Amino acid sequence: MTAARLQRALGLAIAIALLLWNAWWLGRGRPGIALAGSLLALPHAPVLALEMLLMRHVHVRQPVPRASLAAVAKAWWHEVGCGVAVFGWRQPWRTHAEPDYLPADAQGRRAVVLVHGFMCNRAMWNPWMRRLRAAGHPFVAVTLSPPWAAIERHAPTLEAAVRRAEQSTGLPPLVVAHSMGGLAVRAWLRSIAALHAAGTAGAVAERTAGIVTIGTPHHGTWLARFGRADNTRQMRLHGPWLKGLAETEKPAGYAGFTCFYSDCDNVVFPVSAAMLPGADNRHVPGQAHVQLLGHPAVFAEVLRRLTLKRGPSPS
C-alpha cells in the first residue's frame, strides 16, 4: 500500500467517525460533547506534543541551546496545522496536482530534484513546485515506494530522476531532500561512487550541483528506536546501517552539502543528528519537522544555489 492510499483510508475513517459522532450528540442536544469529540479528529496533536517533550528531554550537550517551552509550544501548534494540511489533504488527495516541470526550452537552466521523507510522497513539495514553476526553474519530484522499504532500495528511483533532469537541462541538478530523503540521496551516491575516482565526493561534484538536506537524520534519530520497518531500523541513532554508510563516504564529499536543522524538530533529534562534519550546517530556530519546509531561509538558499554556475566542489 502506498503512503497516499494509507492516508486516504485513515482520513476517510476519521471523517466518517466524526460525522457519526456529531450527528448522534447534536441530535440529542449535547453540542459540548459533540465539540469535545470533534477535537479527537486531531489524534496527531497529543503525539506531536509527546515528541516535542522528548525532544527537549534528549537535548543534552548540543551545539545550540535548548529551545524554550514557549518556542516549543509555538512550533507544536504550527506542526498540528501542517499535519492536517499535508497528511490530511495534500498527500492523500493531491499527489499529482503539480506535475514535474521539464519544459522543451529547459536546456541551460539548472533543475531541482525533490526527495521527500518517511511515509510521504511528492505532494509534500506542492508549494515548492508551484513557486519553482513560477520562477522558471525546472524540477522533478519523486515518490519513494514502497514506503517501508530499506532506504537503499530507492537508489534507482533517484538515479532515474537525476538522469531526466540532466537530459532535459544539460546540467547536473541541485538535489533537495527532506528528512529520510537525505539518507536516500546518500545511499544513491554510494551506489554510483565506484564510478568516480574520488568516490562519493566525486559523485557529488559530477552528478549534482550540490545537495540540500532539511531535517535529515544523518546520524539517525532517537525516535527511530520505536520503529520496526526496515527503514526506521536503519535510522536508529548511530545505528549500524548509518555507520556503514558513513564508512563508505569521504569527508570531502560533505562540502557539497547544506544541512538545515532546528532546535524544535520533533522527529529528528538531538539536533546534532541532522548535521554533517564539513557541511554547511545551518540552524533554523523554532521550526518543527514539517514546518521547516516552509521557512523562507530554506527556499531562499535553494534559489541562490540554482543561480550558481556550478555547485560547490569538494575540498
Side-chain angles (χ1 to χ4, degrees):
M1 178 179 286
T2 66
R5 288 180 179 175
L6 180 63
Q7 290 162 14
R8 281 199 296 267
L10 180 60
L12 286 172
I14 291 174
I16 292 170
L18 182 61
L19 287 171
L20 293 174
W21 176 272
N22 280 278
W24 176 268
W25 288 109
L26 289 175
R28 282 154 180 76
R30 305 294 295 273
I33 297 179
L35 176 60
S38 297
L39 296 176
L40 297 178
L42 300 176
H44 65 298
V47 175
L48 292 174
L50 178 59
E51 290 175 351
M52 290 287 184
L53 292 174
L54 289 171
M55 175 266 299
R56 284 196 88 248
H57 176 72
V58 172
H59 192 105
V60 178
R61 294 189 295 275
Q62 293 300 302
V64 296
R66 178 183 289 151
S68 67
L69 283 173
V72 170
K74 184 178 179 181
W76 168 79
W77 180 244
H78 280 285
E79 197 74 348
V80 170
C82 286
V84 174
V86 172
F87 299 100
W89 170 244
R90 193 188 305 164
Q91 292 194 157
W93 306 105
R94 304 286 290 170
T95 306
H96 302 291
E98 302 293 336
D100 294 339
Y101 179 60
L102 296 172
D105 62 349
Q107 282 290 316
R109 286 189 278 161
R110 183 83 62 193
V112 187
V113 172
L114 300 167
V115 189
H116 64 77
F118 176 68
M119 282 303 296
C120 294
N121 61 38
R122 65 187 305 281
M124 173 69 78
W125 301 100
N126 281 359
W128 279 56
M129 290 190 274
R130 288 192 290 270
R131 295 179 67 182
L132 289 168
R133 182 181 286 105
H137 295 295
F139 60 80
V140 177
V142 302
T143 289
L144 306 179
S145 186
W148 295 285
I151 294 170
E152 64 272 14
R153 286 185 56 185
H154 303 304
T157 299
L158 296 184
E159 175 65 19
V162 169
R163 284 192 179 277
R164 284 184 64 207
E166 289 173 333
Q167 291 167 0
S168 295
T169 66
L171 299 170
L174 179 68
V175 179
V176 181
H178 179 243
S179 194
M180 187 196 77
L183 298 180
V185 171
R186 287 172 61 192
W188 163 69
L189 290 170
R190 178 176 62 180
S191 73
I192 63 173
L195 303 176
H196 301 274
T200 300
V204 172
E206 293 183 30
R207 297 298 308 281
T208 79
I211 297 164
V212 177
T213 65
I214 307 163
T216 287
H218 287 297
H219 304 285
T221 174
W222 189 92
L223 273 184
R225 66 185 59 202
F226 301 111
R228 293 297 178 266
D230 289 344
N231 49 11
T232 55
R233 288 199 301 268
Q234 289 174 320
M235 289 187 284
R236 289 176 181 171
L237 193 62
H238 306 301
W241 187 84
L242 288 167
K243 288 180 179 179
L245 178 63
E247 288 171 359
T248 67
E249 299 169 330
K250 293 186 177 180
Y254 297 150
F257 282 72
T258 298
C259 303
F260 287 95
Y261 67 98
S262 175
D263 57 354
C264 286
D265 191 322
N266 54 295
V267 172
V268 177
F269 57 84
V271 296
S272 56
M275 305 166 68
L276 283 172
D280 180 6
N281 296 301
R282 301 194 186 186
H283 180 215
V284 185
Q287 301 294 293
H289 189 62
V290 176
Q291 186 188 10
L292 260 173
L293 285 175
H295 196 279
V298 179
F299 192 78
E301 171 60 15
V302 170
L303 291 182
R304 186 191 73 82
R305 295 283 287 271
L306 288 173
T307 65
L308 296 177
K309 295 293 183 181
R310 181 68 174 167
S313 301
S315 57

